[in-house]
Amino acid sequence: MEPKEIWKGIYVVGGPGLSHPADCCVYLVDAGRELVLIDAGAGPGIDAILRNVKILGFDPVGIGHLVATHCHIDHIGGLSRIKEVSGCEVSGHQADRDGIELGDRRLTAADLYGIEYWPVKIDLILEGAEETHLLGDLEFHFLHTPGHTPGSIAVYLDLEEGRALFGQDVHGPFSEDWGSDITRWRSSMEKLLDLEADLLCEGHAGIFRGKDIRAYIESQLRRYRHL
Ligand SMILES: [Zn+2]
Ligand SMILES: [Zn+2]
């Protein structure tokens, strides 16, 4: 599989089949003055992710910001290398800070994957229910969407084509080990539905467009209705 443009200025550069089987879907946003990466993959696929960025015609040094959507190893394992290569700043939520900054192996689920994690410092610590930050030339809206982990976040952008939402691990799963909370997850999913996004980039399930977005999120709500 090759990296590709999903929407004008939004690309998929990592994921199983694109970089490494353990990687989450990694998305790249061309924000004009800088590139923004959504998640970093598990780590072992990092060279492939950086190669994919180059294949698309971008210089990885131009990655100015990396959004860590939550503290699981399949999303943050590549953080330290990308920070090293690009000097980018990293955003993440206060409630997932112990996983990202201290590398707690239970919180990161690193043991589950058998992958070593090199902790990184969060430069932009998110604390509010919703925060907006200008990254490059684009306004990124950060939504706190706890449930899968306490500090899970979703990011959305209002672009010419419509609203792009990076929901990442919309599909769960849930574990006491990571502090999952199904009740909070349900209200987070309602928040995502309220956004009425035109594009959903998910952490493992890929891309959804238009009406398929609501159908997908509602199918997840149904799937876990007995929990
Ligand atoms: Zn996760
Ligand atoms: Zn994941």
Side-chain angles (χ1 to χ4, degrees), residues 70 72 74-75 148-149 169 172 204:
H70 63 290
H72 285 158
D74 52 325
H75 298 253
H148 176 56
T149 67
D169 287 5
H204 298 269

Side-chain angles (χ1 to χ4, degrees), residues 33-89:
R33 272 173 299 170
E34 65 182 26
L35 300 170
V36 176
L37 215 53
I38 312 291
D39 284 328
I46 207 66
D47 288 331
I49 291 172
L50 295 172
R51 188 194 62 221
N52 289 340
V53 171
K54 284 184 197 156
I55 288 174
L56 292 166
F58 297 108
D59 183 349
V61 172
I63 300 169
H65 193 98
L66 198 154
V67 179
T69 64
H70 63 290
C71 66
H72 285 158
I73 188 79
D74 52 325
H75 298 253
I76 61 169
L79 270 182
S80 63
R81 271 290 308 284
I82 292 175
K83 213 171 174 173
E84 203 177 277
V85 167
S86 66
C88 67
E89 62 168 33

Side-chain angles (χ1 to χ4, degrees), residues 42-185:
I46 207 66
D47 288 331
I49 291 172
L50 295 172
R51 188 194 62 221
N52 289 340
V53 171
K54 284 184 197 156
I55 288 174
L56 292 166
F58 297 108
D59 183 349
V61 172
I63 300 169
H65 193 98
L66 198 154
V67 179
T69 64
H70 63 290
C71 66
H72 285 158
I73 188 79
D74 52 325
H75 298 253
I76 61 169
L79 270 182
S80 63
R81 271 290 308 284
I82 292 175
K83 213 171 174 173
E84 203 177 277
V85 167
S86 66
C88 67
E89 62 168 33
V90 173
S91 57
H93 197 275
Q94 169 72 32
D96 270 15
R97 206 170 166 184
D98 284 356
I100 299 167
E101 291 195 334
L102 304 177
D104 182 302
R105 293 186 66 81
R106 185 178 51 88
L107 296 176
T108 59
D111 277 341
L112 220 66
Y113 283 82
I115 291 172
E116 201 62 48
Y117 174 62
W118 283 269
V120 299
K121 208 180 135 299
I122 303 174
D123 305 287
L124 174 62
I125 298 168
L126 304 158
E127 290 175 296
E130 181 163 358
E131 292 183 30
T132 300
H133 295 277
L134 187 70
L135 305 178
D137 301 316
L138 296 178
E139 280 194 338
F140 282 69
H141 304 279
F142 295 82
L143 264 189
H144 185 206
T145 51
H148 176 56
T149 67
S152 289
I153 52 172
V155 174
Y156 69 91
L157 295 166
D158 287 321
L159 302 169
E160 244 170 69
E161 279 101 320
R163 180 168 281 178
L165 169 63
F166 300 92
Q168 294 308 71
D169 287 5
V170 165
H171 66 282
F174 306 95
S175 166
E176 275 177 19
D177 281 351
W178 326 316
S180 296
D181 185 325
I182 192 84
T183 308
R184 294 181 86 194
W185 173 78

